[in-house]
Amino acid sequence: MTQLATVLSRGAYGVEAPQVRVEVHISRGMPGLSIVGMPETAVKESKDRVRAAIMNSGFEFPQHRITINLSPADIPKHGGRYDLPIAIGILAASEQVKTNRMADVEFVGELALGGELRPINGILPVVNATAAENRCLVIPSDNANEAALVSQCESRVAAHLLQVCAWLDAVDDLPVAHVPVKGHEILSFPDLSDVKGQEQAKRALIIAAAGGHNLLLFGPPGTGKTMLASRLPGILPPLTAQQALETAQVASISAQGFDTKTWGKPPFRSPHHTASAVALVGGGSNPLPGEISLAQNGVLFLDELAEFSRHVLEVLREPLESGKIVISRAARSAEFPAQFQLITSLNPCPCGYYGDKTRNCRCTPGQIQHYRNKISGPLLDRIDLQVEVPRIPHKKLRQDSAKQVSSEEVRKQVIQSRNIQLKRNKGKTNALLNTKEIEKWVALTELQLDFLEQVVDKLKLSARAYHRIIKVSRTIADLEGADNVTQTHLIEAIGYRGFDQQ
């Protein structure tokens, strides 16, 4: 007796889902089951789960020598996602199920000992990759909500191994994943009207939201820096369908998984300052995304920036420029998207009261210098808006919130400005424009360029800061609906380099 069956499945490496062919060979010899093709521990243990699931589903487990090859062999295999294709391969090789449908079908899913199908992490990259090959995908029922987000793929769901076998034998049908996705609802975020005073900081927050610019809020404790940052999600526009899918894919492969309720909403990540560099950029033997990738198409908020270690902060420099992070291992490299908007808050010194008019600073010049040295010049250079959040008179705290501008009003203004940018910039926000695109879409007069060059020379700013000032001025003009950048827009943009001028 010699039988061979091949079942298609998908692996996982970063946000990729490479094709894996599960080849099952049954031959005469001492009964046994071996798995080859670089399986990790969880995959090696699948032989016990598969044996129990097959027998408890009423099938016969072949009492022959069974060899399972997971091809290609150079891709590490991990997790329980191969349980279902291995079980189907054994049943097909032993001629207990028909193979007519298997040529254009892929299978993923973990098996319980009783034959029930359990969900796997990272289903969205699998569905996307299967859709690109124009194949059908069989998945566990609990993965249906995520899989339904990709309408281009025919994802059939099953709760038990028996259902999959009945479908292969054309005895019964498997339902297609059809989960209605709700529209772009505004989640319950704190309202901008709660912030009293701080008009310049609120204005900077609106500009940052409209153009996708990075923002630094600096000032003494208790002035509303964190309060302002927490209001940003409520004024951001919804994601496009493509952005929503990119963001969902990263969340899908993460440890916490993807919540379909957040579909279309820009993510807002706020790691604690004790976070390591690996937690921020991602890593591990099987690389998982870090905070910067989980903030894809959204916001990464770093509160108390100087409390993060300098090494951790320096890893942000490359992804802030390239919009991606590459995690290299000996055999392979995993690339994760990292197109995020950086929002940070910072005290002026360790005690927090340097320059405060109401309280005296207790720090020495050396302590202040050491504190600020944690934030390198190249990192500050990549932050477009640097705004002071000073202490406000207590009388302003009495202001009626109803008289303050609300997040809903601001959000409409931001969406209108963002639409202008995307139409003019061929789908890009102003913050993402490169040098050539700035010259093409942000035309400044000779007088404006001369003025800007004088300011840059006086403040000793870099070429990067020079271009970022131009991009911020373009966003300010877009918020006002102006066709061209004026001198007033430039002056306001220069005023948002406050930390550079200290």
Side-chain angles (χ1 to χ4, degrees):
M1 174 185 179
T2 301
Q3 296 291 338
L4 177 66
T6 300
V7 182
L8 299 177
S9 187
R10 290 278 165 183
Y13 198 83
V15 289
E16 299 176 0
Q19 182 81 77
V20 173
R21 299 172 69 87
V22 179
E23 300 170 340
V24 179
H25 180 248
I26 300 178
S27 62
R28 297 188 183 277
M30 290 290 293
L33 190 153
S34 60
I35 302 177
V36 298
M38 204 181 286
E40 295 184 358
T41 304
V43 181
K44 291 178 181 177
E45 293 172 348
S46 69
K47 59 185 179 182
D48 297 317
R49 293 192 298 271
V50 168
R51 179 186 287 107
I54 288 176
M55 295 175 68
N56 288 324
S57 298
F59 294 101
E60 179 185 348
F61 191 84
Q63 296 301 309
H64 299 281
R65 180 167 184 78
I66 304 172
T67 304
I68 298 169
N69 179 39
L70 305 179
S71 174
D74 60 342
I75 299 177
K77 319 299 188 308
H78 59 89
R81 63 177 54 222
Y82 303 106
D83 289 3
L84 177 60
I86 287 174
I88 295 298
I90 292 173
L91 293 175
S94 59
E95 299 180 346
Q96 296 184 70
V97 295
K98 295 178 181 178
T99 59
N100 300 351
R101 287 183 167 178
M102 287 171 49
D104 295 318
V105 181
E106 299 186 10
F107 302 82
V108 290
E110 182 178 335
L111 283 172
L113 299 184
E116 298 84 5
L117 282 176
R118 290 176 175 166
I120 64 167
N121 278 345
I123 194 66
L124 276 178
V126 173
V127 179
N128 268 328
T130 306
E133 297 293 332
N134 198 28
R135 293 196 184 108
C136 172
L137 178 66
V138 176
I139 59 172
S141 298
D142 289 343
N143 285 129
N145 285 4
E146 276 188 57
L149 298 174
V150 184
S151 58
Q152 297 87 348
C153 182
E154 180 189 342
S155 299
R156 294 188 174 268
V157 298
H160 198 281
L161 176 61
L162 281 172
Q163 291 178 272
V164 180
C165 295
W167 178 70
L168 288 172
D169 289 337
V171 174
D172 201 358
D173 201 15
L174 285 180
V176 177
H178 285 304
V179 178
V181 180
K182 295 183 179 180
H184 298 309
E185 300 176 357
I186 301 176
L187 296 180
S188 180
F189 293 115
D191 201 276
L192 192 61
S193 62
D194 298 334
V195 183
K196 312 293 177 62
Q198 303 297 6
E199 298 306 321
Q200 186 190 29
K202 284 195 280 190
R203 170 72 171 169
L205 192 73
I206 294 169
I207 294 170
H213 301 287
N214 301 325
L215 170 65
L216 168 66
L217 301 168
F218 64 94
T223 55
K225 302 186 295 294
T226 305
M227 190 177 185
L228 278 161
S230 65
R231 268 70 186 164
L232 182 59
I235 64 174
L236 289 174
L239 301 178
T240 64
Q242 180 61 33
Q243 288 175 329
L245 188 56
E246 291 173 359
T247 304
Q249 278 196 119
V250 177
S252 179
I253 64 174
S254 67
Q256 62 265 39
F258 173 66
D259 183 359
T260 54
K261 294 178 182 178
T262 63
W263 174 258
K265 316 297 188 301
F268 185 85
R269 306 293 300 185
S270 180
H272 192 259
H273 61 77
T274 56
S276 65
V278 172
L280 214 57
V281 303
S285 56
N286 175 47
L288 292 177
E291 291 291 338
I292 63 173
S293 295
L294 292 170
Q296 169 73 2
N297 295 317
V299 177
L300 177 69
F301 175 48
L302 301 183
D303 199 6
E304 303 297 346
L305 188 65
E307 298 300 329
F308 287 81
S309 74
R310 184 178 174 115
H311 169 65
V312 169
L313 293 179
E314 289 306 291
V315 301
L316 294 174
R317 286 164 54 178
E318 180 193 344
L320 278 172
E321 287 293 320
S322 64
K324 62 183 180 181
I325 185 73
V326 178
I327 300 172
S328 297
R329 294 292 177 263
R332 294 173 64 89
S333 294
E335 182 179 303
F336 294 101
Q339 195 70 66
F340 61 93
Q341 183 178 356
L342 179 64
I343 308 296
T344 67
S345 70
L346 176 68
N347 289 333
C349 67
C351 78
Y353 298 104
Y354 177 74
D356 193 358
K357 297 178 181 179
T358 61
R359 294 187 62 171
N360 295 325
C361 175
R362 304 188 303 272
C363 305
T364 65
Q367 287 175 320
I368 295 173
Q369 191 62 42
H370 176 72
Y371 183 77
R372 294 195 174 191
N373 282 345
K374 288 186 176 181
I375 307 162
S376 68
L379 178 61
L380 277 174
D381 216 26
R382 288 166 167 81
I383 300 180
D384 310 26
L385 302 160
Q386 303 167 10
V387 185
E388 184 176 7
V389 186
R391 192 176 301 281
I392 61 173
H394 291 159
K395 286 185 177 180
K396 284 197 174 183
L397 299 177
R398 300 180 184 178
Q399 292 177 349
D400 187 359
S401 296
K403 296 180 181 179
Q404 306 294 313
V405 63
S406 69
S407 291
E408 185 178 355
E409 295 174 76
V410 171
R411 191 169 183 266
K412 291 177 182 176
Q413 186 182 7
V414 167
I415 291 174
Q416 186 176 8
S417 170
R418 187 71 70 92
N419 289 338
I420 292 172
Q421 296 170 44
L422 296 178
K423 185 177 180 181
R424 180 189 60 239
N425 303 343
K426 309 298 182 185
K428 282 187 175 182
T429 59
N430 289 333
L432 298 180
L433 296 179
N434 59 37
T435 307
K436 288 185 178 179
E437 291 167 339
I438 291 173
E439 294 173 355
K440 182 178 180 181
W441 290 314
V442 192
L444 299 181
T445 65
E446 285 296 322
L447 187 64
Q448 290 172 334
L449 289 171
D450 290 340
F451 168 72
L452 181 57
E453 287 167 6
Q454 291 174 19
V455 171
V456 168
D457 288 340
K458 185 177 180 179
L459 297 178
K460 299 179 180 178
L461 300 178
S462 68
R464 182 186 287 114
Y466 169 86
H467 287 118
R468 288 179 183 269
I469 289 172
I470 295 176
K471 290 190 281 189
V472 171
S473 66
R474 179 66 264 183
T475 300
I476 296 170
D478 290 333
L479 280 167
E480 295 181 2
D483 292 332
N484 299 308
V485 175
T486 67
Q487 189 87 344
T488 305
H489 300 144
L490 266 180
I491 292 172
E492 183 178 357
I494 292 166
Y496 294 126
R497 303 294 302 191
F499 201 79
D500 283 333
Q501 300 172 41
Q502 287 203 342

